[in-house]
Amino acid sequence: MDSILLKVENLQTSFLVKSGEVKAANEISFTLKKGEALGIVGESGSGKSVTAYSILQILQNPGKIVGGSIALNGQELVNSGESVMSRIRGNKISMIFQDPMTSLNPVFTVGNQLTEAIMLHTKRRKAQARERSVELLRLVGINEPKRRVKQYPHELSGGMRQRAMIAMAIACEPDILIADEPTTALDVTVQAQILELMKSLQEQLGMAIIMITHDLGVIAGMCERVIVMYAGRIVESGTVDEIFYAPAHEYTKGLLKSIPSISDERQRLIPIAGSPVDMLSLPKGCAFAPRCDCAMKICLASQPAQSRISETHSASCWMNEKGRLENA
Amino acid sequence: MPNSEPLLKVNGLKQHFKINTGLFRSTLLKAVDGITFDIARGETLGLVGESGCGKTTAGRTILHLYRPTAGEVIFDGVRIDTPQKVMDMRSKAQMVFQDPYSSLDPRMTVQDTIREPLDIQKTYPTRKERDDRVKELMAAVELSSEQATRYPHEFSGGQRQRIGIARALAVNPTFIVCDEPVSALDVSIQAQIINMFEDLQETYSLTYLFIAHDLSIVKHISKRIAVMYLGKIIELATSGELYKMPLHPYTKSLLSAVPIVDPNAEKQRKRIVLEGDVPSPINMPEGCSFQSRCPICTDRCRQEEPDLREMSDGHYCACWNVQ
């Protein structure tokens, strides 16, 4: 039996703005096993980053967790208080962000920022922490780590900054590494380096990874399981093979069809019609229904229930229910 | 009679920027350093490369948004060398920009934005004709006429990019430089815009220079592709040939780094992972620009710069170690 590391149940995160409540993450439930790589894929505004921020409780005002539970090794995190969370952040769960330039402090050296994280969470003293930072930079593949620890973020290239971020994130050997679009700001050749690095660290340190991205190609190469989000909800979840070869939600299907691949020879792309949803005025039924080719009356009227397709695969789409009703 | 002469000829085009490094000192940033290619009428040429390789500067220099340092641009048989010729070219050559947020004036309505090039170029003498043309253009990019009096902030990213395309089409151009036109858009919207580019090309017989860093999209839309690295074109071939038989070590690694949307293919493929990042284009070393990251670099590469040579029919590559 794989042990469950993180269990998120019915997570509700809302942003209370002047014009109403934005349900940025709505009834989010998933589990993460030890050492597993889970991908969360969705477009901008689909709630994937909000879900990650909720886990670490680093939401910015006016964002707030309004319901549900997040349990790490059985310990409840929602409403656990700032002192508990500050021991978990960076220690048990750490995060790397999309833009390594804005998430590193420009007025401190890389070494300073690394030792700070190490000293905060371990009993190491300054000299030991310093040694450990050099070791970490070497681990993430930065050349001449002894010289680099003394440099400021602006002296490093984009790829190197992201490596430094990863070094900081793994400083305390966390159980979970959340990567929020870690390669979106990088070039493809550098992206390949960073993904290889993350994969090898996952194996070496046995940590679980939550990979948040809009790039299905990155998911295909990195993850074992995938969650697809749309308009704040999980619309489909399953193993990589299930999601890529037997998608069960119309949105996932559309997404896979609309992406050009370098290996195919198609003359024409099949786009998803319409525009992304307005989170302030979500439709009553399925949020994807206005853009869906297969939308039925029921899709516009009520929220689809989650249907199980296999042990690991489930989707929230009335089309699956329809098939089942006809078969019955 | 169909004109077989290429629509655009770019010959040894250079764009060097002077960078001040001290009070009296400056150094040269060679953003584009001698690129040469042709684009046939109705063709789409893809220009790919990583950030900082000079692809955007190349596009802008071709349209003379920057005055070229050296080299020539021959558009529709005319050598663009005087301000008047630049003006004339701009009525036939337009640009679609990457960021649909910053490339539209937030204080202008959609119809004003689209009409502005018509007001300047005076192809339509009366206001009525120009307004009709605006309606026609909005229909061509699938925007409804009720949206004409709205402001950019009322539109989504995909719709804003449609406005940008309509503005580029306003003066009936024959040539459009598309500078990363879909990279700021959501995945589900990208395909809509790509299809629209293809449809418009068909309807208005357009010629595109399609600049992007996403190789899958470039491959989809282009007939031929030029790969740039640090201001130079290092490989140029038809898109099918480039993907099946890349010659330059940089192209090979670039292709192997692109994530494939297929888990099984991802598991099987062998990646050529390059060391390091793209070096700075300031104070470039002698010889080949790719030497610092090249897995097959030799002494000759460190001394002499390779030229773009034709390896097989229409397939050009700049590498000493490719025969």
Side-chain angles (χ1 to χ4, degrees):
Chain A
M1 255 301 273
D2 295 314
S3 53
I4 286 172
L5 195 60
L6 183 78
K7 188 167 186 173
V8 177
E9 254 179 316
N10 277 323
L11 175 73
Q12 297 261 14
T13 301
S14 289
F15 286 76
L16 296 160
V17 291
K18 234 186 261 165
S19 33
E21 182 187 4
V22 176
K23 292 181 175 168
N26 208 342
E27 292 171 35
I28 304 293
S29 301
F30 65 90
T31 56
L32 181 71
K33 292 177 201 135
K34 208 169 175 301
E36 176 185 49
L38 172 75
I40 302 183
V41 65
E43 297 178 70
S44 48
S46 63
K48 51 193 197 307
S49 294
V50 169
T51 305
Y53 287 18
S54 302
I55 295 170
L56 282 172
Q57 295 178 37
I58 48 171
L59 288 160
Q60 271 183 359
N61 250 339
K64 205 171 177 304
I65 299 177
V66 289
S69 116
I70 300 167
L72 176 72
N73 284 324
Q75 184 193 1
E76 179 60 45
L77 299 186
V78 176
N79 295 326
S80 61
E82 215 20 52
S83 63
V84 175
M85 281 317 294
S86 63
R87 254 173 286 142
I88 283 168
R89 285 183 209 127
N91 197 15
K92 297 263 199 262
I93 309 175
S94 55
M95 184 153 177
I96 50 178
F97 300 88
Q98 174 171 351
D99 185 350
M101 190 65 222
T102 52
S103 40
L104 287 170
N105 191 334
V107 299
F108 289 103
T109 61
V110 174
N112 261 330
Q113 299 182 53
L114 270 165
T115 44
E116 185 198 0
I118 297 164
M119 285 164 67
L120 204 63
H121 290 293
T122 62
K123 293 205 178 77
R124 286 195 177 86
R125 310 183 68 150
K126 191 148 194 181
Q128 290 170 302
R130 203 107 203 141
E131 252 167 60
R132 171 83 176 137
S133 0
V134 175
E135 200 181 296
L136 281 165
L137 289 183
R138 188 172 293 127
L139 185 69
V140 296
I142 290 181
N143 294 335
E144 305 174 74
K146 284 209 174 103
R147 187 164 69 86
R148 298 291 182 193
V149 286
K150 292 184 198 126
Q151 287 187 325
Y152 289 89
H154 75 265
E155 295 175 85
L156 308 181
S157 67
M160 250 193 289
R161 273 181 224 142
Q162 198 58 291
R163 284 173 193 269
M165 276 292 295
I166 294 174
M168 214 173 288
I170 60 165
C172 303
E173 307 201 348
D175 297 330
I176 303 171
L177 176 68
I178 302 176
D180 187 7
E181 305 261 11
T183 56
T184 310
L186 305 174
D187 286 317
V188 267
T189 54
V190 181
Q191 166 173 294
Q193 296 168 2
I194 298 291
L195 294 178
E196 292 286 317
L197 171 68
M198 288 181 63
K199 257 194 267 185
S200 76
L201 289 174
Q202 184 200 0
E203 277 166 31
Q204 279 177 51
L205 308 174
M207 60 182 179
I209 292 181
I210 299 180
M211 182 77 160
I212 296 168
T213 176
H214 66 274
D215 189 333
L216 282 161
V218 170
I219 299 264
M222 275 291 289
C223 304
E224 291 128 48
R225 278 197 309 132
V226 190
I227 287 172
V228 184
M229 287 189 71
Y230 189 79
R233 283 175 189 271
I234 295 179
V235 293
E236 184 165 4
S237 69
T239 63
V240 227
D241 285 356
E242 284 165 340
I243 297 290
F244 283 84
Y245 300 126
H249 195 284
E250 291 303 317
Y251 173 64
T252 318
K253 288 181 199 169
L255 209 53
L256 286 166
K257 268 189 244 161
S258 71
I259 306 168
S261 169
I262 56 164
S263 47
D264 74 7
E265 301 282 331
R266 271 181 307 170
Q267 289 303 306
R268 196 137 174 103
L269 301 175
I270 306 161
I272 300 178
S275 310
V277 280
D278 176 6
M279 291 298 285
L280 269 170
S281 54
L282 283 178
K284 203 170 136 222
C286 171
F288 186 61
R291 300 176 73 187
C292 183
D293 289 335
C294 310
M296 303 171 287
K297 268 185 205 151
I298 190 169
C299 302
L300 299 167
S302 62
Q303 194 57 235
Q306 194 185 67
S307 39
R308 276 196 104 71
I309 292 137
S310 77
E311 194 73 353
T312 48
H313 192 185
S314 62
S316 301
C317 178
W318 285 116
M319 287 301 282
N320 299 312
E321 294 296 310
K322 186 187 168 203
R324 187 164 309 165
L325 292 176
E326 278 166 3
N327 288 338
Chain B
M1 197 185 93
N3 197 338
S4 61
E5 182 77 354
L7 180 68
L8 179 81
K9 277 181 163 179
V10 175
N11 226 332
L13 194 69
K14 286 186 184 179
Q15 181 66 55
H16 296 175
F17 294 111
K18 209 165 131 187
I19 307 244
N20 292 326
T21 49
L23 194 52
F24 299 109
R25 271 178 302 173
S26 65
T27 179
L28 277 185
L29 187 153
K30 297 179 179 173
V32 175
D33 201 20
I35 56 170
T36 300
F37 59 84
D38 294 347
I39 308 181
R41 281 161 208 279
E43 187 192 32
T44 302
L45 179 77
L47 190 59
V48 295
E50 298 185 277
S51 54
C53 73
K55 53 191 192 305
T56 294
T57 308
R60 293 185 172 200
T61 308
I62 289 168
L63 291 186
H64 285 64
L65 294 175
Y66 300 134
R67 187 200 295 268
T69 309
E72 57 176 10
V73 174
I74 297 165
F75 183 78
D76 212 358
V78 181
R79 188 168 188 265
I80 308 299
D81 49 9
T82 63
Q84 187 53 47
K85 283 181 184 161
V86 171
M87 260 316 260
D88 291 347
M89 173 177 74
R90 290 211 186 128
S91 68
K92 289 182 226 138
Q94 287 285 314
M95 187 153 184
V96 173
F97 298 90
Q98 168 169 13
D99 185 355
Y101 294 83
S102 62
S103 59
L104 296 175
D105 188 330
R107 290 182 296 183
M108 277 166 83
T109 60
V110 172
Q111 56 182 2
D112 291 344
T113 298
I114 300 174
R115 204 184 44 233
E116 196 180 24
L118 296 169
D119 294 341
I120 295 167
Q121 293 281 356
K122 302 191 175 62
T123 21
Y124 297 88
T126 68
R127 174 71 186 252
K128 169 94 182 44
E129 281 174 290
R130 292 201 288 267
D131 283 337
D132 287 345
R133 173 78 182 143
V134 169
K135 282 192 193 118
E136 189 186 310
L137 287 161
M138 287 188 70
V141 296
E142 292 161 32
L143 289 171
S144 70
S145 51
E146 298 97 75
Q147 292 169 322
T149 51
R150 295 199 191 154
Y151 289 90
H153 74 266
E154 297 174 71
F155 293 89
S156 67
Q159 286 173 317
R160 281 182 220 210
Q161 201 55 291
R162 288 168 196 260
I163 301 169
I165 296 169
R167 175 178 58 186
L169 288 173
V171 293
N172 266 322
T174 47
F175 175 62
I176 297 182
V177 174
C178 313
D179 185 12
E180 301 259 17
V182 298
S183 60
L185 305 178
D186 267 321
V187 187
S188 74
I189 305 298
Q190 288 186 354
Q192 292 177 6
I193 301 295
I194 294 287
N195 281 353
M196 173 170 289
F197 273 116
E198 289 178 332
D199 292 341
L200 293 171
Q201 179 165 47
E202 181 102 5
T203 321
Y204 299 107
S205 344
L206 295 168
T207 304
Y208 292 141
L209 174 66
F210 198 94
I211 302 170
H213 69 278
D214 187 324
L215 287 112
S216 325
I217 286 172
V218 172
K219 190 216 170 189
H220 176 83
I221 200 162
S222 314
K223 203 173 145 212
R224 286 188 306 144
I225 296 174
V227 184
M228 269 186 92
Y229 189 80
L230 285 177
K232 296 195 174 80
I233 291 176
I234 50 114
E235 189 160 2
L236 194 153
T238 62
S239 56
E241 173 125 345
L242 191 80
Y243 282 84
K244 277 189 208 99
M245 256 210 350
L247 294 176
H248 198 283
Y250 176 64
T251 316
K252 283 183 187 168
S253 64
L254 201 59
L255 287 172
S256 85
V258 178
I260 305 180
V261 189
D262 183 339
N264 287 341
E266 272 286 331
K267 271 170 216 146
Q268 282 158 15
R269 77 200 300 214
K270 266 256 164 282
R271 277 226 165 84
I272 310 164
V273 178
L274 288 179
E275 301 259 313
D277 291 286
V278 183
S280 149
I282 301 169
N283 297 327
M284 291 277 298
E286 296 259 308
C288 176
S289 53
F290 188 55
Q291 54 176 289
S292 61
R293 300 173 84 192
C294 184
I296 53 168
C297 180
T298 59
D299 281 344
R300 191 178 185 189
C301 307
R302 288 184 201 100
Q303 285 146 17
E304 280 176 84
E305 193 189 314
D307 288 327
L308 199 61
R309 289 173 296 154
E310 189 161 11
M311 297 298 172
S312 59
D313 194 25
H315 194 154
Y316 298 82
C317 176
C319 179
W320 292 123
N321 299 315
V322 172
Q323 298 312 321

